[in-house]
Amino acid sequence: MSPDAELMLIFGALHLIAIALGVLLFVMFLRSETTSSWQPPEDEDGGGGGSDRVSDRPKSSPPGGLALLDAVPPRIRLRSHERLGDLTPRPDRRPSREPAPQRRPARCD
């Protein structure tokens, strides 16, 4: 069998497997129930479920916790439409260096 025929046989088999799995998933989808027969539980107090993490007392602290004592506000606040470069002070320019004195070559006498 030539390598081209083997390659076609492998690709054909893979396609058949993929089609079979697709048909299987489609049949499972058709056989599933579209609605559930779930009924809410009947409690004596008439209340529903709910989260046991929700408490009745109000929150006393901010959601992020208390501010730290050593917290420092940022230098720049980015709440305006100004550019970031306009909000930061420009650094001082470095002083220019004096040119190095010219060295004269030493004469050999």
Side-chain angles (χ1 to χ4, degrees), residues 61-81:
S61 63
L66 296 176
L68 300 175
L69 297 176
D70 60 343
V72 178
R75 292 184 307 155
I76 302 168
R77 293 185 65 117
L78 299 176
R79 293 190 178 189
S80 64
H81 297 288

Side-chain angles (χ1 to χ4, degrees), residues 19-29:
I19 290 172
L21 290 175
V23 168
L24 177 68
L25 286 175
F26 187 68
V27 168
M28 289 173 59
F29 172 72

Side-chain angles (χ1 to χ4, degrees), residues 55-100:
S55 63
D56 295 333
R57 58 187 167 93
K59 292 184 176 180
S60 60
S61 63
L66 296 176
L68 300 175
L69 297 176
D70 60 343
V72 178
R75 292 184 307 155
I76 302 168
R77 293 185 65 117
L78 299 176
R79 293 190 178 189
S80 64
H81 297 288
E82 297 178 45
R83 291 180 36 206
L84 180 62
D86 296 337
L87 296 174
T88 57
R90 293 190 178 259
D92 294 334
R93 294 188 68 162
R94 293 185 301 196
S96 63
R97 290 192 268 167
E98 295 293 326

Side-chain angles (χ1 to χ4, degrees), residues 28-39:
M28 289 173 59
F29 172 72
L30 290 177
R31 293 193 58 171
S32 67
E33 294 182 19
T34 57
T35 60
S36 64
S37 60
W38 180 81
Q39 296 292 328

